[in-house]
Amino acid sequence: MIGKQDSQVLEADVVRLEHVRKTHGTAKHEVVALDDVTVGLRRGSFTAVMGPSGSGKSTFLQCAAGLDRPTSGSVHLDGRDLGALGERRLTRLRRERIGFVFQAFNLLPALTVTDNVTLPLRLAGRRADKDEVTAVLERVGLAERRHSRPGELSGGQQQRVAIARALIAKPAVIFGDEPTGALDTRTAHDVLTLLREAVAHSGQTIVMVTHDPEAAAHADRVLFLRDGRFVDTLERPRAAEIAARMTTLGNAQAGPAAGLAATANARAEASR
Ligand code: ADP
Ligand code: MG
């Protein structure tokens, strides 16, 4: 039975994973990528997910965004239980309610900026309102480049096109996998500021995987993964704090007991 407090938590969380376990490979050579992950992401929040290579960041994002299915446990997105949806409805949900921003901008080179931005809407059978397109292009500072093709733009500009493409459908969540990974520091800062503004001004929910403490410092909350578990959380941290925590995570020689205690704390905190 769901208590009053629980149902409020569920409503506030636009993404919620409960006891998610994800293994790869065969039973004999099983790799546990996510190990009993329970976490909620609040509507209108900006979350960064960090962790050493192989800690499960990409697997987390894939499961949370309905691109992959957990081995066990549940994922709720925008009030829907993804496990209860067949492939068709899951694809539709992804198209209509989720935005993606990848390290490789994934723009179509033959299409203009405008056509790249409106493509997801058109795929979903929706018409792109001209004023809306203009508004979103102005937001990312590319209104003047609407007729350009991706090849004529810088990396930062291309990523801003990708962000406009994610924003225009007003998705429940935007997922980013290393969205600034291919950008120089200054351009990355501009792109992150843009994401930050989408959270502050439009209440957009954003979840971003990054290995860059400077990038993660733009988030409200940083979740740290290690060996498939969330082991730590920082709220509104500065880059230096994040970098220090990453160093601890990477080098920690903690025994199993210490690891379990840290996990329990982080889980209690993360699922508030
Ligand atoms: P990260 O993004 O933090 O580097 P991943 O989520 O990509 O971590 O991977 C977590 C673990 O799962 C790693 O040990 C990785 O080798 C393993 N893994 C990921 N995808 C697969 C796959 N398709 N097949 C087998 N093992 C995988
Ligand atoms: Mg990865």
PDB file of all heavy atoms in Angstrom, residues 236-272:
ATOM      1  N   ARG A 236      24.410  20.972  -4.868  1.00  0.00           N
ATOM      2  CA  ARG A 236      24.963  22.248  -5.338  1.00  0.00           C
ATOM      3  C   ARG A 236      26.453  22.408  -5.045  1.00  0.00           C
ATOM      4  O   ARG A 236      26.880  23.399  -4.444  1.00  0.00           O
ATOM      5  CB  ARG A 236      24.200  23.425  -4.702  1.00  0.00           C
ATOM      6  CG  ARG A 236      22.697  23.393  -4.933  1.00  0.00           C
ATOM      7  CD  ARG A 236      22.176  24.644  -5.562  1.00  0.00           C
ATOM      8  NE  ARG A 236      22.497  24.672  -6.978  1.00  0.00           N
ATOM      9  CZ  ARG A 236      22.206  25.701  -7.775  1.00  0.00           C
ATOM     10  NH1 ARG A 236      21.660  26.784  -7.296  1.00  0.00           N
ATOM     11  NH2 ARG A 236      22.507  25.634  -9.048  1.00  0.00           N
ATOM     12  N   PRO A 237      27.237  21.435  -5.429  1.00  0.00           N
ATOM     13  CA  PRO A 237      28.656  21.464  -5.082  1.00  0.00           C
ATOM     14  C   PRO A 237      29.469  22.350  -6.030  1.00  0.00           C
ATOM     15  O   PRO A 237      29.011  22.697  -7.119  1.00  0.00           O
ATOM     16  CB  PRO A 237      29.076  20.016  -5.268  1.00  0.00           C
ATOM     17  CG  PRO A 237      28.198  19.531  -6.367  1.00  0.00           C
ATOM     18  CD  PRO A 237      26.899  20.271  -6.269  1.00  0.00           C
ATOM     19  N   ARG A 238      30.658  22.700  -5.565  1.00  0.00           N
ATOM     20  CA  ARG A 238      31.598  23.384  -6.445  1.00  0.00           C
ATOM     21  C   ARG A 238      32.500  22.344  -7.101  1.00  0.00           C
ATOM     22  O   ARG A 238      32.648  21.231  -6.584  1.00  0.00           O
ATOM     23  CB  ARG A 238      32.407  24.400  -5.657  1.00  0.00           C
ATOM     24  CG  ARG A 238      31.626  25.699  -5.486  1.00  0.00           C
ATOM     25  CD  ARG A 238      32.381  26.642  -4.626  1.00  0.00           C
ATOM     26  NE  ARG A 238      32.813  25.951  -3.412  1.00  0.00           N
ATOM     27  CZ  ARG A 238      33.330  26.569  -2.357  1.00  0.00           C
ATOM     28  NH1 ARG A 238      33.490  27.857  -2.368  1.00  0.00           N
ATOM     29  NH2 ARG A 238      33.687  25.890  -1.302  1.00  0.00           N
ATOM     30  N   ALA A 239      33.096  22.751  -8.224  1.00  0.00           N
ATOM     31  CA  ALA A 239      33.892  21.815  -9.019  1.00  0.00           C
ATOM     32  C   ALA A 239      35.006  21.165  -8.192  1.00  0.00           C
ATOM     33  O   ALA A 239      35.270  19.970  -8.328  1.00  0.00           O
ATOM     34  CB  ALA A 239      34.466  22.529 -10.243  1.00  0.00           C
ATOM     35  N   ALA A 240      35.631  21.953  -7.314  1.00  0.00           N
ATOM     36  CA  ALA A 240      36.749  21.426  -6.521  1.00  0.00           C
ATOM     37  C   ALA A 240      36.289  20.298  -5.594  1.00  0.00           C
ATOM     38  O   ALA A 240      36.969  19.284  -5.446  1.00  0.00           O
ATOM     39  CB  ALA A 240      37.390  22.551  -5.721  1.00  0.00           C
ATOM     40  N   GLU A 241      35.101  20.499  -4.991  1.00  0.00           N
ATOM     41  CA  GLU A 241      34.541  19.458  -4.107  1.00  0.00           C
ATOM     42  C   GLU A 241      34.272  18.176  -4.892  1.00  0.00           C
ATOM     43  O   GLU A 241      34.516  17.061  -4.405  1.00  0.00           O
ATOM     44  CB  GLU A 241      33.171  19.910  -3.579  1.00  0.00           C
ATOM     45  CG  GLU A 241      33.168  20.791  -2.367  1.00  0.00           C
ATOM     46  CD  GLU A 241      31.717  21.168  -2.077  1.00  0.00           C
ATOM     47  OE1 GLU A 241      31.021  20.386  -1.397  1.00  0.00           O
ATOM     48  OE2 GLU A 241      31.270  22.240  -2.551  1.00  0.00           O
ATOM     49  N   ILE A 242      33.732  18.362  -6.094  1.00  0.00           N
ATOM     50  CA  ILE A 242      33.395  17.207  -6.932  1.00  0.00           C
ATOM     51  C   ILE A 242      34.663  16.456  -7.317  1.00  0.00           C
ATOM     52  O   ILE A 242      34.729  15.226  -7.233  1.00  0.00           O
ATOM     53  CB  ILE A 242      32.647  17.655  -8.213  1.00  0.00           C
ATOM     54  CG1 ILE A 242      31.360  18.387  -7.828  1.00  0.00           C
ATOM     55  CG2 ILE A 242      32.338  16.464  -9.109  1.00  0.00           C
ATOM     56  CD1 ILE A 242      30.700  19.115  -8.981  1.00  0.00           C
ATOM     57  N   ALA A 243      35.677  17.222  -7.708  1.00  0.00           N
ATOM     58  CA  ALA A 243      36.948  16.615  -8.111  1.00  0.00           C
ATOM     59  C   ALA A 243      37.548  15.828  -6.949  1.00  0.00           C
ATOM     60  O   ALA A 243      38.042  14.709  -7.129  1.00  0.00           O
ATOM     61  CB  ALA A 243      37.910  17.689  -8.595  1.00  0.00           C
ATOM     62  N   ALA A 244      37.465  16.399  -5.743  1.00  0.00           N
ATOM     63  CA  ALA A 244      38.015  15.721  -4.564  1.00  0.00           C
ATOM     64  C   ALA A 244      37.271  14.419  -4.307  1.00  0.00           C
ATOM     65  O   ALA A 244      37.871  13.383  -4.009  1.00  0.00           O
ATOM     66  CB  ALA A 244      37.908  16.644  -3.354  1.00  0.00           C
ATOM     67  N   ARG A 245      35.934  14.454  -4.452  1.00  0.00           N
ATOM     68  CA  ARG A 245      35.127  13.266  -4.218  1.00  0.00           C
ATOM     69  C   ARG A 245      35.426  12.180  -5.246  1.00  0.00           C
ATOM     70  O   ARG A 245      35.464  10.999  -4.926  1.00  0.00           O
ATOM     71  CB  ARG A 245      33.631  13.655  -4.256  1.00  0.00           C
ATOM     72  CG  ARG A 245      32.728  12.712  -3.506  1.00  0.00           C
ATOM     73  CD  ARG A 245      33.055  12.638  -2.027  1.00  0.00           C
ATOM     74  NE  ARG A 245      32.867  13.889  -1.327  1.00  0.00           N
ATOM     75  CZ  ARG A 245      31.821  14.193  -0.579  1.00  0.00           C
ATOM     76  NH1 ARG A 245      30.843  13.345  -0.431  1.00  0.00           N
ATOM     77  NH2 ARG A 245      31.751  15.345   0.030  1.00  0.00           N
ATOM     78  N   MET A 246      35.641  12.613  -6.486  1.00  0.00           N
ATOM     79  CA  MET A 246      35.978  11.658  -7.553  1.00  0.00           C
ATOM     80  C   MET A 246      37.295  10.957  -7.255  1.00  0.00           C
ATOM     81  O   MET A 246      37.424   9.749  -7.483  1.00  0.00           O
ATOM     82  CB  MET A 246      36.092  12.392  -8.901  1.00  0.00           C
ATOM     83  CG  MET A 246      34.776  12.679  -9.563  1.00  0.00           C
ATOM     84  SD  MET A 246      33.880  11.182 -10.020  1.00  0.00           S
ATOM     85  CE  MET A 246      34.850  10.658 -11.431  1.00  0.00           C
ATOM     86  N   THR A 247      38.247  11.724  -6.740  1.00  0.00           N
ATOM     87  CA  THR A 247      39.553  11.142  -6.405  1.00  0.00           C
ATOM     88  C   THR A 247      39.393  10.086  -5.315  1.00  0.00           C
ATOM     89  O   THR A 247      39.935   8.986  -5.416  1.00  0.00           O
ATOM     90  CB  THR A 247      40.521  12.250  -5.918  1.00  0.00           C
ATOM     91  OG1 THR A 247      40.488  13.299  -6.876  1.00  0.00           O
ATOM     92  CG2 THR A 247      41.926  11.728  -5.776  1.00  0.00           C
ATOM     93  N   THR A 248      38.592  10.414  -4.312  1.00  0.00           N
ATOM     94  CA  THR A 248      38.342   9.457  -3.226  1.00  0.00           C
ATOM     95  C   THR A 248      37.706   8.182  -3.777  1.00  0.00           C
ATOM     96  O   THR A 248      38.098   7.073  -3.421  1.00  0.00           O
ATOM     97  CB  THR A 248      37.377  10.067  -2.185  1.00  0.00           C
ATOM     98  OG1 THR A 248      37.748  11.407  -1.970  1.00  0.00           O
ATOM     99  CG2 THR A 248      37.395   9.279  -0.888  1.00  0.00           C
ATOM    100  N   LEU A 249      36.720   8.373  -4.648  1.00  0.00           N
ATOM    101  CA  LEU A 249      36.010   7.221  -5.217  1.00  0.00           C
ATOM    102  C   LEU A 249      36.947   6.321  -6.003  1.00  0.00           C
ATOM    103  O   LEU A 249      36.895   5.103  -5.869  1.00  0.00           O
ATOM    104  CB  LEU A 249      34.948   7.718  -6.206  1.00  0.00           C
ATOM    105  CG  LEU A 249      33.553   7.999  -5.728  1.00  0.00           C
ATOM    106  CD1 LEU A 249      32.673   8.237  -6.937  1.00  0.00           C
ATOM    107  CD2 LEU A 249      33.013   6.839  -4.918  1.00  0.00           C
ATOM    108  N   GLY A 250      37.786   6.945  -6.803  1.00  0.00           N
ATOM    109  CA  GLY A 250      38.674   6.189  -7.673  1.00  0.00           C
ATOM    110  C   GLY A 250      39.729   5.425  -6.904  1.00  0.00           C
ATOM    111  O   GLY A 250      40.077   4.310  -7.268  1.00  0.00           O
ATOM    112  N   ASN A 251      40.201   6.036  -5.810  1.00  0.00           N
ATOM    113  CA  ASN A 251      41.329   5.442  -5.091  1.00  0.00           C
ATOM    114  C   ASN A 251      40.946   4.674  -3.841  1.00  0.00           C
ATOM    115  O   ASN A 251      41.793   4.021  -3.246  1.00  0.00           O
ATOM    116  CB  ASN A 251      42.332   6.529  -4.682  1.00  0.00           C
ATOM    117  CG  ASN A 251      42.868   7.266  -5.886  1.00  0.00           C
ATOM    118  OD1 ASN A 251      42.850   6.731  -6.983  1.00  0.00           O
ATOM    119  ND2 ASN A 251      43.305   8.486  -5.685  1.00  0.00           N
ATOM    120  N   ALA A 252      39.672   4.817  -3.433  1.00  0.00           N
ATOM    121  CA  ALA A 252      39.283   4.250  -2.141  1.00  0.00           C
ATOM    122  C   ALA A 252      39.590   2.762  -2.068  1.00  0.00           C
ATOM    123  O   ALA A 252      39.298   2.003  -2.973  1.00  0.00           O
ATOM    124  CB  ALA A 252      37.802   4.487  -1.901  1.00  0.00           C
ATOM    125  N   GLN A 253      40.204   2.345  -0.994  1.00  0.00           N
ATOM    126  CA  GLN A 253      40.501   0.923  -0.771  1.00  0.00           C
ATOM    127  C   GLN A 253      39.568   0.403   0.324  1.00  0.00           C
ATOM    128  O   GLN A 253      39.932  -0.490   1.071  1.00  0.00           O
ATOM    129  CB  GLN A 253      41.955   0.749  -0.318  1.00  0.00           C
ATOM    130  CG  GLN A 253      42.978   1.229  -1.332  1.00  0.00           C
ATOM    131  CD  GLN A 253      43.012   0.358  -2.568  1.00  0.00           C
ATOM    132  OE1 GLN A 253      42.937  -0.840  -2.466  1.00  0.00           O
ATOM    133  NE2 GLN A 253      43.100   0.967  -3.735  1.00  0.00           N
ATOM    134  N   ALA A 254      38.399   1.012   0.419  1.00  0.00           N
ATOM    135  CA  ALA A 254      37.482   0.656   1.494  1.00  0.00           C
ATOM    136  C   ALA A 254      37.078  -0.807   1.416  1.00  0.00           C
ATOM    137  O   ALA A 254      36.893  -1.344   0.332  1.00  0.00           O
ATOM    138  CB  ALA A 254      36.238   1.534   1.414  1.00  0.00           C
ATOM    139  N   GLY A 255      36.961  -1.427   2.562  1.00  0.00           N
ATOM    140  CA  GLY A 255      36.501  -2.814   2.632  1.00  0.00           C
ATOM    141  C   GLY A 255      35.012  -2.866   2.363  1.00  0.00           C
ATOM    142  O   GLY A 255      34.370  -1.830   2.246  1.00  0.00           O
ATOM    143  N   PRO A 256      34.445  -4.075   2.252  1.00  0.00           N
ATOM    144  CA  PRO A 256      33.030  -4.216   1.950  1.00  0.00           C
ATOM    145  C   PRO A 256      32.119  -3.516   2.959  1.00  0.00           C
ATOM    146  O   PRO A 256      31.124  -2.924   2.574  1.00  0.00           O
ATOM    147  CB  PRO A 256      32.806  -5.728   1.985  1.00  0.00           C
ATOM    148  CG  PRO A 256      34.137  -6.368   2.130  1.00  0.00           C
ATOM    149  CD  PRO A 256      35.149  -5.329   2.412  1.00  0.00           C
ATOM    150  N   ALA A 257      32.487  -3.553   4.232  1.00  0.00           N
ATOM    151  CA  ALA A 257      31.627  -2.942   5.246  1.00  0.00           C
ATOM    152  C   ALA A 257      31.529  -1.439   5.029  1.00  0.00           C
ATOM    153  O   ALA A 257      30.437  -0.861   5.038  1.00  0.00           O
ATOM    154  CB  ALA A 257      32.170  -3.226   6.646  1.00  0.00           C
ATOM    155  N   ALA A 258      32.660  -0.801   4.790  1.00  0.00           N
ATOM    156  CA  ALA A 258      32.662   0.645   4.559  1.00  0.00           C
ATOM    157  C   ALA A 258      31.851   0.976   3.315  1.00  0.00           C
ATOM    158  O   ALA A 258      31.080   1.932   3.292  1.00  0.00           O
ATOM    159  CB  ALA A 258      34.092   1.142   4.399  1.00  0.00           C
ATOM    160  N   GLY A 259      32.011   0.152   2.281  1.00  0.00           N
ATOM    161  CA  GLY A 259      31.273   0.370   1.047  1.00  0.00           C
ATOM    162  C   GLY A 259      29.776   0.273   1.262  1.00  0.00           C
ATOM    163  O   GLY A 259      29.019   1.108   0.785  1.00  0.00           O
ATOM    164  N   LEU A 260      29.357  -0.704   2.036  1.00  0.00           N
ATOM    165  CA  LEU A 260      27.930  -0.897   2.299  1.00  0.00           C
ATOM    166  C   LEU A 260      27.347   0.263   3.084  1.00  0.00           C
ATOM    167  O   LEU A 260      26.259   0.731   2.785  1.00  0.00           O
ATOM    168  CB  LEU A 260      27.709  -2.205   3.077  1.00  0.00           C
ATOM    169  CG  LEU A 260      27.758  -3.472   2.240  1.00  0.00           C
ATOM    170  CD1 LEU A 260      27.577  -4.695   3.125  1.00  0.00           C
ATOM    171  CD2 LEU A 260      26.674  -3.449   1.168  1.00  0.00           C
ATOM    172  N   ALA A 261      28.097   0.742   4.067  1.00  0.00           N
ATOM    173  CA  ALA A 261      27.609   1.858   4.878  1.00  0.00           C
ATOM    174  C   ALA A 261      27.432   3.087   3.999  1.00  0.00           C
ATOM    175  O   ALA A 261      26.407   3.774   4.057  1.00  0.00           O
ATOM    176  CB  ALA A 261      28.593   2.157   6.016  1.00  0.00           C
ATOM    177  N   ALA A 262      28.430   3.337   3.129  1.00  0.00           N
ATOM    178  CA  ALA A 262      28.351   4.496   2.240  1.00  0.00           C
ATOM    179  C   ALA A 262      27.145   4.358   1.317  1.00  0.00           C
ATOM    180  O   ALA A 262      26.420   5.316   1.068  1.00  0.00           O
ATOM    181  CB  ALA A 262      29.634   4.625   1.425  1.00  0.00           C
ATOM    182  N   THR A 263      26.916   3.155   0.815  1.00  0.00           N
ATOM    183  CA  THR A 263      25.796   2.916  -0.083  1.00  0.00           C
ATOM    184  C   THR A 263      24.474   3.181   0.621  1.00  0.00           C
ATOM    185  O   THR A 263      23.590   3.840   0.082  1.00  0.00           O
ATOM    186  CB  THR A 263      25.812   1.454  -0.585  1.00  0.00           C
ATOM    187  OG1 THR A 263      27.085   1.212  -1.165  1.00  0.00           O
ATOM    188  CG2 THR A 263      24.730   1.224  -1.602  1.00  0.00           C
ATOM    189  N   ALA A 264      24.349   2.684   1.828  1.00  0.00           N
ATOM    190  CA  ALA A 264      23.108   2.861   2.582  1.00  0.00           C
ATOM    191  C   ALA A 264      22.837   4.346   2.801  1.00  0.00           C
ATOM    192  O   ALA A 264      21.713   4.819   2.607  1.00  0.00           O
ATOM    193  CB  ALA A 264      23.196   2.139   3.921  1.00  0.00           C
ATOM    194  N   ASN A 265      23.862   5.101   3.162  1.00  0.00           N
ATOM    195  CA  ASN A 265      23.696   6.537   3.367  1.00  0.00           C
ATOM    196  C   ASN A 265      23.255   7.234   2.091  1.00  0.00           C
ATOM    197  O   ASN A 265      22.317   8.016   2.092  1.00  0.00           O
ATOM    198  CB  ASN A 265      25.031   7.171   3.827  1.00  0.00           C
ATOM    199  CG  ASN A 265      25.330   6.808   5.261  1.00  0.00           C
ATOM    200  OD1 ASN A 265      24.415   6.471   6.012  1.00  0.00           O
ATOM    201  ND2 ASN A 265      26.590   6.868   5.641  1.00  0.00           N
ATOM    202  N   ALA A 266      23.985   6.915   1.025  1.00  0.00           N
ATOM    203  CA  ALA A 266      23.701   7.575  -0.246  1.00  0.00           C
ATOM    204  C   ALA A 266      22.288   7.240  -0.701  1.00  0.00           C
ATOM    205  O   ALA A 266      21.576   8.084  -1.222  1.00  0.00           O
ATOM    206  CB  ALA A 266      24.706   7.147  -1.311  1.00  0.00           C
ATOM    207  N   ARG A 267      21.895   5.983  -0.479  1.00  0.00           N
ATOM    208  CA  ARG A 267      20.570   5.559  -0.922  1.00  0.00           C
ATOM    209  C   ARG A 267      19.492   6.302  -0.142  1.00  0.00           C
ATOM    210  O   ARG A 267      18.519   6.775  -0.704  1.00  0.00           O
ATOM    211  CB  ARG A 267      20.431   4.057  -0.728  1.00  0.00           C
ATOM    212  CG  ARG A 267      19.353   3.465  -1.561  1.00  0.00           C
ATOM    213  CD  ARG A 267      19.446   1.969  -1.530  1.00  0.00           C
ATOM    214  NE  ARG A 267      20.584   1.476  -2.262  1.00  0.00           N
ATOM    215  CZ  ARG A 267      21.175   0.310  -1.992  1.00  0.00           C
ATOM    216  NH1 ARG A 267      20.757  -0.432  -1.014  1.00  0.00           N
ATOM    217  NH2 ARG A 267      22.177  -0.090  -2.716  1.00  0.00           N
ATOM    218  N   ALA A 268      19.694   6.427   1.153  1.00  0.00           N
ATOM    219  CA  ALA A 268      18.718   7.134   1.985  1.00  0.00           C
ATOM    220  C   ALA A 268      18.605   8.578   1.514  1.00  0.00           C
ATOM    221  O   ALA A 268      17.514   9.127   1.380  1.00  0.00           O
ATOM    222  CB  ALA A 268      19.154   7.087   3.444  1.00  0.00           C
ATOM    223  N   GLU A 269      19.757   9.155   1.203  1.00  0.00           N
ATOM    224  CA  GLU A 269      19.781  10.553   0.787  1.00  0.00           C
ATOM    225  C   GLU A 269      19.165  10.713  -0.599  1.00  0.00           C
ATOM    226  O   GLU A 269      18.346  11.587  -0.829  1.00  0.00           O
ATOM    227  CB  GLU A 269      21.242  11.019   0.764  1.00  0.00           C
ATOM    228  CG  GLU A 269      21.398  12.495   1.018  1.00  0.00           C
ATOM    229  CD  GLU A 269      22.872  12.885   0.981  1.00  0.00           C
ATOM    230  OE1 GLU A 269      23.708  12.094   1.449  1.00  0.00           O
ATOM    231  OE2 GLU A 269      23.160  13.960   0.471  1.00  0.00           O
ATOM    232  N   ALA A 270      19.602   9.804  -1.513  1.00  0.00           N
ATOM    233  CA  ALA A 270      19.176   9.930  -2.909  1.00  0.00           C
ATOM    234  C   ALA A 270      17.691   9.695  -3.077  1.00  0.00           C
ATOM    235  O   ALA A 270      17.071  10.236  -3.983  1.00  0.00           O
ATOM    236  CB  ALA A 270      19.977   8.963  -3.787  1.00  0.00           C
ATOM    237  N   SER A 271      17.082   8.907  -2.199  1.00  0.00           N
ATOM    238  CA  SER A 271      15.672   8.563  -2.401  1.00  0.00           C
ATOM    239  C   SER A 271      14.753   9.399  -1.528  1.00  0.00           C
ATOM    240  O   SER A 271      13.589   9.084  -1.372  1.00  0.00           O
ATOM    241  CB  SER A 271      15.464   7.067  -2.134  1.00  0.00           C
ATOM    242  OG  SER A 271      15.810   6.778  -0.805  1.00  0.00           O
ATOM    243  N   ARG A 272      15.291  10.483  -0.964  1.00  0.00           N
ATOM    244  CA  ARG A 272      14.470  11.357  -0.146  1.00  0.00           C
ATOM    245  C   ARG A 272      13.226  11.778  -0.924  1.00  0.00           C
ATOM    246  O   ARG A 272      13.315  12.082  -2.102  1.00  0.00           O
ATOM    247  CB  ARG A 272      15.231  12.614   0.219  1.00  0.00           C
ATOM    248  CG  ARG A 272      15.887  12.560   1.555  1.00  0.00           C
ATOM    249  CD  ARG A 272      16.627  13.840   1.841  1.00  0.00           C
ATOM    250  NE  ARG A 272      17.439  14.206   0.678  1.00  0.00           N
ATOM    251  CZ  ARG A 272      17.326  15.352   0.028  1.00  0.00           C
ATOM    252  NH1 ARG A 272      16.443  16.220   0.374  1.00  0.00           N
ATOM    253  NH2 ARG A 272      18.101  15.640  -1.002  1.00  0.00           N
TER     254      ARG A 272
END
